[in-house]
């Protein structure tokens, strides 16, 4: 599971300096006036300001009960009245006033609610990113950049992970299926022979594919050149890797190198053949 800390997804810092607290969470005179316009009661006005300053920083509206008390107290200090209680924040989070205030803040900031159009943009960006990137944090970061660019309110982090994971799987399956469909019967038979059961690690053709050059002595050079000739002979029966990005090829190679013959044999056919094709030609 991808951790939020691996990505650029905005989070509330647990530790803030006084300078950061003042610079980030101090409402302006115009913002105080805006809160007074849309919220008459003291508690509601403070909550409005909390939502406003938080969404400016994060790009989404968190539950106010999740906000560090230091931030709550700092913003409440700009309005006369009693300090907040956790119970009041919890009641506000469940209230209709919160939803009305969120819409007013969206309008004020020209922030677009994450709706079906936002979902469609997220899907399109994730698909584009997954074509050149394999790591989920990298895909998610590209999605975040585009959502911010088009001023969409950010969805929950779990939604970004779900979409990025699904789209990456779809892109990989398209690559695997494309290679699988254009492989000749002869090429498939050659790959099957590489993972034939009953071979030990040294005999397995799959493990031979992963052979690395050793110390450059005469015998080793000769042996490794023979190995390269063997790979070239296999490659002659295989389709081109055009259309598969270099970063994706590298990722497939890394995955193939991590597998023993038994593990490769247990893969779905389309993935096994695709990894073998990339490993032989990279």
């Amino acid at each position: 599971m991808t951790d939020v800390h691996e990505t650029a997804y905005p989070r509330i810092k647990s530790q803030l300096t006084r300078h950061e607290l003042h610079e980030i969470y101090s409402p302006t005179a115009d913002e105080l006036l805006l809160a007074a316009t849309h919220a008459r009661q003291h508690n509601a006005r403070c909550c409005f300001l909390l939502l406003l300053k938080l969404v400016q920083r994060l790009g989404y509206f968190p539950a106010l009960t999740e906000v560090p008390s230091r931030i709550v107290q700092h913003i409440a200090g700009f309005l006369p009245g009693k300090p907040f209680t956790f119970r009041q924040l919890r009641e506000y989070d469940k209230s209709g006033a919160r939803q009305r205030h969120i819409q007013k803040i969206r309008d004020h900031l020209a922030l677009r609610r994450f709706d079906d159009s936002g979902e469609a943009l997220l899907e399109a960006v994730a698909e584009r990113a997954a074509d050149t990137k394999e790591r989920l944090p990298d895909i998610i970061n590209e999605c975040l950049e585009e959502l911010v660019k088009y001023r969409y309110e950010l969805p929950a982090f779990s939604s970004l992970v779900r979409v990025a994971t699904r789209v990456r799987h779809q892109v990989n399956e398209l690559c695997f299926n494309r290679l699988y469909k254009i492989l000749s019967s002869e090429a498939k038979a050659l790959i099957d022979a590489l993972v034939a059961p009953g071979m030990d690690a040294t005999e397995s053709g799959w493990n031979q594919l992963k052979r690395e050059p050793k110390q450059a002595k005469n015998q080793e050079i000769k042996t490794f050149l023979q190995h390269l000739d063997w790979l070239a002979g296999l490659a002659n029966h295989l389709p081109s890797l055009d259309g598969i990005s270099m970063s994706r090829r590298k990722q497939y190679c890394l995955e193939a190198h991590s597998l023993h013959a038994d593990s490769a044999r247990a893969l779905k056919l389309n993935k096994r053949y695709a990894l073998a094709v990339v490993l032989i030609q990279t």
Side-chain angles (χ1 to χ4, degrees):
M1 178 66 178
T2 299
D3 192 284
V4 65
H5 297 281
E6 300 177 76
T7 72
Y9 192 80
R11 307 182 309 278
I12 303 174
K13 289 180 63 174
S14 57
Q15 300 293 330
L16 287 166
T17 66
R18 288 185 179 180
H19 177 74
E20 288 174 325
L21 191 64
H22 176 76
E23 288 295 314
I24 298 169
Y25 293 107
S26 295
T28 65
D30 287 343
E31 289 168 346
L32 289 168
L33 180 59
L34 182 71
T37 302
H38 297 297
R40 294 182 179 180
Q41 296 182 352
H42 170 265
N43 288 352
R45 196 171 297 175
C46 286
C47 289
F48 184 99
L49 286 171
L50 275 167
L51 287 176
L52 175 62
K53 301 309 294 183
L54 287 164
V55 76
Q56 286 174 338
R57 179 66 173 176
L58 303 174
Y60 59 90
F61 297 94
L64 296 190
T65 51
E66 298 174 356
V67 180
S69 59
R70 193 173 175 211
I71 295 176
V72 175
Q73 293 166 5
H74 175 75
I75 292 178
F78 285 84
L79 296 172
K82 297 180 180 179
F84 264 115
T85 66
F86 182 83
R87 178 180 177 181
Q88 289 170 324
L89 292 176
R90 184 176 57 196
E91 290 174 350
Y92 178 82
D93 279 338
K94 298 178 181 179
S95 70
R98 173 187 166 94
Q99 298 308 314
R100 291 193 298 273
H101 290 169
I102 284 176
Q103 189 53 56
K104 294 296 183 182
I105 292 170
R106 285 192 187 119
D107 294 342
H108 174 71
L109 298 176
L111 187 65
R112 304 172 69 177
R113 184 171 68 88
F114 186 77
D115 53 12
D116 290 345
S117 64
E119 185 79 29
L121 175 64
L122 177 59
E123 293 268 350
V125 175
E127 183 175 347
R128 184 183 68 205
D131 192 46
T132 57
K133 298 175 174 62
E134 176 65 21
R135 294 182 65 251
L136 285 178
D138 294 334
I139 298 172
I140 289 170
N141 285 343
E142 191 159 327
C143 291
L144 287 170
E145 185 177 339
E146 288 298 298
L147 289 171
V148 170
K149 175 182 176 181
Y150 289 99
R151 299 202 56 76
Y152 275 101
E153 181 183 335
L154 298 182
F157 181 71
S158 58
S159 297
L160 291 169
V161 173
R162 171 181 52 79
V163 171
T165 302
R166 175 170 50 77
V167 170
R168 183 183 66 174
H169 174 74
Q170 290 172 348
V171 170
N172 282 329
E173 282 294 301
L174 285 172
C175 288
F176 298 156
N177 288 335
R178 186 179 70 81
L179 289 173
Y180 177 75
K181 289 177 181 178
I182 59 179
L183 275 176
S184 66
S185 298
E186 181 183 11
K188 291 177 182 177
L190 288 172
I191 294 172
D192 287 339
L194 297 174
V195 294
M199 294 183 176
D200 63 26
T202 58
E203 294 174 331
S204 163
W206 181 271
N207 292 323
Q208 290 297 318
L209 288 178
K210 301 183 288 181
R211 186 185 189 283
E212 297 289 344
K214 301 176 184 177
Q215 188 174 356
K217 295 182 179 179
N218 288 339
Q219 183 57 39
E220 170 58 19
I221 293 173
K222 179 180 178 181
T223 303
F224 194 71
L225 288 174
Q226 291 172 344
H227 172 71
L228 293 178
D229 287 340
W230 174 64
L231 288 178
L234 292 175
N236 287 335
H237 300 278
L238 301 179
S240 166
L241 295 179
D242 293 343
I244 300 178
S245 67
M246 187 56 65
S247 61
R248 189 160 298 282
R249 295 184 203 182
K250 290 179 180 178
Q251 179 59 36
Y252 291 166
C253 272
L254 287 173
E255 185 170 357
H257 270 279
S258 71
L259 299 173
H260 290 290
D262 289 343
S263 301
R265 188 167 56 250
L267 296 173
K268 288 174 59 179
L269 281 178
N270 64 345
K271 184 173 184 178
R272 181 207 304 167
Y273 290 149
L275 292 186
V277 169
V278 175
L279 183 59
I280 292 168
Q281 299 189 74
T282 302

